[in-house]
Amino acid sequence: MDLTHVEDDLELDQTLFTEEQIVSRLKEMAADIERDYEGKDILLVGVLKGAVMVMADLARSLDRHVEMDWMAVSSYGSGTKSSGVVRILKDLDTDLQGRHVLIVEDIIDTGLTLSWLITNLRSRGPASVEIATLLRKPEAQQMEVEVKYVGFDIPNAFVVGYGLDYNEQYRNLRCIGTLSPHVYS
Ligand code: PRP
């Protein structure tokens, strides 16, 4: 779906990344990853569901072999991330012993999910665990998470598209935009 179908739902004067800008930034990140992991295998771990688009484009920008696996997690409680306690809905199929793991995320908001996930994956004996995220909201971050690859730092706004949802919608929007308050209030 392109922007023309949801223009009325977005604040067009605020954060907006076109599909071209996103793909171009992911190519730059892929080049950094190729350089840093030269001579090492890579296991990309995508965090469902938001990271699906990032994983698809980042992985295809890597001009080398990679493996991919997926996790689905959910925070306990009322649907907010405030507890920082995360439940695994779908675990990895891959044994991480000795592997170089690169977690692929669409967004780091409070940082609670990633903070928990990195501790969890590090306990499984990998050679390394790093994070690549397309978006990061520095103002919203509650937990210090060391992120090796960041696409864009963005303001603390409600962004949707390119995997990011509101009520499970907008994930298939090609670009990323700021949702207008009239949609969710
Ligand atoms: C989003 C995103 C991260 C998490 C980041 O997932 O994909 O996993 O929130 O938030 P945090 O930094 O505050 O922990 P969400 O739980 O919305 O699920 P989804 O990927 O299925 O949309």
Side-chain angles (χ1 to χ4, degrees):
M1 177 166 68
D2 62 35
L3 184 60
T4 56
H5 295 91
V6 290
E7 254 168 355
D8 294 345
D9 296 353
L10 301 182
E11 304 277 288
L12 296 178
D13 56 337
Q14 293 186 38
T15 303
L16 192 133
F17 298 106
T18 64
E19 186 180 18
E20 291 73 25
Q21 287 172 317
I22 296 165
V23 170
S24 156
R25 184 71 189 107
L26 289 174
K27 281 187 180 147
E28 292 173 352
M29 291 166 71
D32 291 343
I33 292 165
E34 281 176 19
R35 187 196 59 228
D36 294 347
Y37 286 86
E38 204 177 339
K40 297 172 179 167
D41 66 352
I42 304 177
L43 175 67
L44 298 176
V45 169
V47 185
L48 295 168
K49 304 169 191 165
V52 167
M53 311 298 176
V54 183
M55 178 72 118
D57 284 332
L58 180 68
R60 285 181 297 176
S61 293
L62 288 164
D63 290 322
R64 51 160 292 166
H65 289 294
V66 287
E67 286 180 41
M68 285 181 239
D69 202 347
W70 300 90
M71 274 186 92
V73 297
S74 163
S75 54
Y76 279 112
S78 59
T80 69
K81 300 278 162 62
S82 53
S83 69
V85 182
V86 176
R87 171 167 64 113
I88 296 176
L89 302 178
K90 184 228 169 284
D91 207 343
L92 298 171
D93 298 327
T94 315
D95 179 0
L96 298 191
Q97 194 71 40
R99 302 300 305 268
H100 291 285
V101 176
L102 183 56
I103 301 171
V104 176
E105 263 288 21
D106 51 338
I107 190 165
I108 299 181
D109 197 332
T110 63
L112 292 167
T113 306
L114 258 296
S115 166
W116 178 89
L117 192 58
I118 208 157
T119 305
N120 181 286
L121 298 189
R122 279 196 177 134
S123 73
R124 306 186 193 192
S128 67
V129 183
E130 301 289 354
I131 299 168
T133 185
L134 179 63
L135 303 176
R136 179 174 62 181
K137 288 183 180 174
E139 292 161 28
Q141 216 161 313
Q142 294 174 21
M143 290 292 289
E144 196 59 46
V145 185
E146 204 180 305
V147 186
K148 194 153 186 190
Y149 309 97
V150 180
F152 304 103
D153 277 325
I154 61 166
N156 192 11
F158 198 149
V159 287
V160 292
Y162 199 76
L164 293 149
D165 75 309
Y166 169 60
N167 271 351
E168 295 300 325
Q169 294 191 320
Y170 304 94
R171 291 194 199 273
N172 61 323
L173 179 61
R174 291 181 181 277
C175 62
I176 292 171
T178 304
L179 201 61
S180 292
H182 78 80
V183 178
Y184 56 85
S185 56

